[in-house]
Each structure stands twice: as C-alpha cells, then as structure tokens.
Amino acid sequence: MQLSAKSWTLIALALCIALAPLAFPSSFYYRIGAVILVNGLAVTGLVILFGYAGQISLGHAGFAGIGGYSAALIPVHFDVHPVLGLLAGAVLSGVLAFLIGRPVLRLKGYYLAVATLGFGILVFIVLNNEADLTGGPDGMSVESLGLRSLSNALGLGLNTSEVWYWFMGLIVLLGAYLALNLHTSPSGRALRSLHDSEVAAGTLGVDVARYKLTAFVISAVYASLAGSLQALLNGFVTPDIAGFLQSIEWMTMTVLGGAATVLGAIFGAGLLTALPQALTVFAEYEHMALGLIMMLVMIFLPTGLLPSLARQFRRGG
Amino acid sequence: MSEFLQFAFSGMTVGAVYALVALGFTLIYNASDVVNFAQGEFVMIGGMVTAFLYASGTPLWLAALLAIAIAAVVGVLLNKLAVEPARGASVVSLIVITIGASIFLRGLAAIVFDKQIHRFPAFTGEDPIGIMGATIVPQSLWVVGGGLAIFAALYVFLTKSVIGKAVLATANNRLAAKLVGINTNHMMTLSFGISAAVGGLAGVLATPITLTSYDMGISLALKGFAAAMLGGMGSPLGALVGGFLIGLIEQMTAGYLSSEYKDAAAFIVILVVLFTMPRGLFGPRVAERV
C-alpha cells in the first residue's frame, strides 16, 4: 500500500511521541516533553503562516499572551472551567488577528516584521502594566485543568507530568493533522502559491489578501492555544509569555527545523527546548552556545536541519 | 512651557541614541539587505569597553577610541564570519543569524565583563545648564551634537569621497557596481565596520546618562529598528528623523500621559504610520516591478 506524505508524517510524529518516553530516565523528562509539545503546537501554526504562505511574524507571542491570560483570568472572573478560558482566548485571538491582519499583511518583508513585532510588544506592555488585573511583572497563578483527576477517574494512574505529556501529544497530533490537511487542500495550494509569487497567484485568481488573512488567523489561534496550554501546564503565567524573545524563539524553532514542514518545525521545537536544559551544565556559556547554534545552523543548513539531513540521507542511500 | 522644554530635551537625548542605532541599521541594510539585530550590541560594547578601560586607569579619550575600534572589529568579524557565508539566505534566516549573533555577543559580554551596571563620568562636567526654566546636562549636548555630526560626516563621506560613492553604488545595484570594478564584498565589510563604529560611538556618548550593562542591546536594537522603519528603511535622513521622533514621542508620553506606556506610544505611532505609508516616512517611492 502506498502511503501519502501526510500519513508518513503523522505516523513518524506519533511514533516519536510514543517512543520518546522509553529514553526518559525520570518523570521530570515528561515535563520537558510536554513543554516541547506546547512549543510544537505554536510552531505548527507558524508553519502555516510562514512555511505555507511565506509571511513573517515576530509578534505571535502576543497571541500566546492573550491565550495564556484568558486561561488564567476568565475562570477567576466568571467562575467557569479553565477549558472555557482557553477556548475564549482562542476566539479572542482569532478575532483580533482578523482585525489587525488586513492592514498588517499589506506590508512585506522587514516592514511586516516590525509591524508584527510592534503588536507583540504592545500586548506585552499591557499585560505588564495592568497589574490590578494581571498581577504585573510578577504574573499570576492559573487554575488547574484537572487532567490529573481525569486520569485517576479513568484509572490510568499517571502523575501530572505524564498525563500532560500524553495529553499534549494528542493535541499536537491533532494540530499537525489539521495543518497537513490544509497543505494538500485547494486552500493550502493557494496559500503556498503566495509563498512563491503573490503576483502570479493573483493573476491565477487567488484572492491574495484573503488567503494571507486566513493563514494569519489560523496561526494566531494555534499560538493562543499554545499560550493557554503553557499557562495551564505551569499553573502560572507572567507577561514574558508575550515577550519578544518568545516570538523569536518560536520563529527560530520553525526555521531551524525546516520551515516548510510540520515535522521539521516540531523537531526544531524539540531541539531548542531541550538544548537549554542540556546546556545548563555549562551555566554561563549557555547563551553563547545558543547564539552560536542559531548562527551555525542557518549558515550551513539554510533550509533547516531536517530537510538538509533528509537530503544527505537520500544522497547517501 | 518649561515643562514641555524639559521633556523635549530628554526626548532629543534618547532620540539621538535611537537615531545613531537606526543610522547603523541603514548603513548595513543599504550595503547588504541585512537588518542587523545585533546593532544594539555595538552600543553595549562601546559603553562597556570604555567603562572597563576607564576603571582600569586608561584616560577617558583613549578608552573611548579603543572601545569604538573594538566595536568596529566586532562588526567586521560579524560580517566575515556570519553574514557573508550566508549570502542569499532568506530574510528570516538572516534575522535568525543576527539575533543569534546578538545573543552570542550578550553571553560573551557577561563573561568578559560582568553582569553589573556601569558608567563613567560625563565628558564636560555634571552640572545641569538652565535654559528657560528647563535644565539639560552637558552630556545631552554631546549626545545630540554627536548624533548630528555623525550624520553630517556620513553624508559627506557617502556623497563626496570615492569610497563613499562606491558604498552607495553597491547599495543601489550590486551587480552594476561589480561591473564597474567595485569590490562589493569590501564595501559590505566596510559598511559593517562603519556601522559598528557608529554604534560604539553612540555607546560612548550615551553611557554617562543612560548607563550600560551587558544586556542593554536588545531593547536599543528594537527601538532603532522601529526608528529606521518609521523613517523608511534605507534612508539615512529617515533614520535620523525616525530616531528623534521616537525619542520625542516616548518622552512626551512619559511626561504628559503615563511613563508606563511610553514604549507603547512609540510602537502605536509606528503601526499607524506603516498602515498609512507602507514604506515609512522617507522610504523609496518605487513601484513594484513584476
């Protein structure tokens, strides 16, 4: 039976998520695994925006901030389950992305970069300054999602880190499935045609502005969900979730692994999340090493790690 | 009135620093199409090296000159080791490379120097000068004057000297510049060197007022980048005006509205300008070729 590229990607991703715990020496690693998967969800959204449609964003952490604080604030003020906070945040981010998307996406290249950067920084400043609501720079605690009690009720007997890892694994598989479906659909083809040439796409009848906006809104919802889940996983949220560095980290993960592919971007998320953990041994050299790796990968493997390695592999085999 | 003047003075002072960072961005962008997010680190290097040399007994003027020279060398190395090998890479790859360089230099500075805040004395005394009820420290005059002087010097260099014209030619059309015998690689290296030296000088001028630490670069780079985009990427005049505008908007907002939202005001203005003028205030008015 001939399997499509989509099926291969999903199978590879599912196997990675299922088999990785065999190499975990302690349950602390489940936690790192869960963080990797949260980042994996955010970068899957960026693959749609940047990998498919070719639009840069240096401000997607702004949507993560909206998602994170929705999951934190809505349960407190409206006395509802955190899941509703997460969903409300996703809707809010989507609507906001729709509203700002049209003027922002008229810009190109570095102008687009600075406009999205400005949006992200504005969200960060608001979260940082409205201390009465958000707790300011100190952040605020977030209600539990109740995954642990769910796992106990089902008789799985997993601890918090483990249950979060498997839960996030399912979410990321679902997110990747949707993104991959989009890739091969007519809408996905239209999006990818923008990447190569907006003018050519336009002459072929692709509504350029509408498709760019669609990609922007979808990726904003992914970022918002990732922000909510990060806040719920940590049980705590600070304005840094919306910070410039978060946006940059996600963009770097997307490019590092291989921007055009879901699998590559999630691989990049894994590498860039796990690396600082490994580098803590070197303490003060951590930043230097991180910067060096970012530069070296981009210089020597400009299409990203996974595609470059795959090419080597094919050439060798 | 004196209040307004006071905010204007402080706005001009920070604005001059942003303008110098934005000028550095513009120089590198023109020569190589790269937006260098490590631009703020040059300012940090200028301030930190001067502070440490001065603290170890070097005369201030010599420490400042050495600091600018070291910043220039770092700029040249950045081009040779990180940017030139990645020639032709996408915008995002270049952003990742220069942000990587910025993180690397920050980490290096934390080890070579330390994680404390440093300063050195102002060049010509610390006593504020009173002007129409407002006061200004003499160092502010150095910063603003320095900013304007560098702009003028760069203008003369780029339009009157042969080497400067070669840099401009490289910026305008790299292939055509090569055809008339200009070594465009040298011109790009030169641009990185000059740009880094301008950043280093900004650090030397501003540190007595703003102080310096190993991690001050990134916020400066963001403001400088925003200033360059506000003015229109690639326009030196735009960089100068953009820098002063952002400085003034920031300080006016801090003075009259809310000091917590001064950074927000600058970015709101940038978004509004870009929505109405997608190429900034002084950007090239070119039609896109298909």
Side-chain angles (χ1 to χ4, degrees), chain A residues 243-264:
Chain A
F244 171 65
L245 280 179
Q246 178 73 78
S247 292
I248 288 298
E249 266 180 26
W250 281 343
M251 207 63 206
T252 308
M253 288 168 184
T254 312
V255 189
L256 205 65
T261 63
V262 172
L263 202 59

Side-chain angles (χ1 to χ4, degrees), chain A residues 50 56 103-104 106-107 110-111 114-115 118 121-122 125 129-130 199 244 248 255 285 287-288 291 295 298-299, chain B residues 33 35 82 85 91-92 96-97 99-100 103-104 108 111 229 233 260-261 263-264 267 271 274-275 278-279 290:
Chain A
F50 176 66
I56 306 174
V104 164
R106 277 171 54 216
L107 305 167
Y110 287 121
Y111 291 94
V114 81
I121 288 179
L122 286 176
I125 292 172
N129 286 340
E130 295 303 318
V199 178
F244 171 65
I248 288 298
V255 189
Y285 295 98
H287 276 116
M288 279 178 70
M295 287 192 282
M298 281 299 109
I299 292 168
Chain B
D33 289 333
V35 164
V91 168
V92 175
V96 172
I97 287 175
I99 289 177
I103 295 174
F104 176 80
L108 187 67
I111 296 166
M229 304 309 285
M233 202 68 204
E260 288 162 347
Y261 278 97
D263 293 334
F267 281 102
L271 285 175
L274 286 181
F275 290 167
R279 290 186 171 271
V290 175

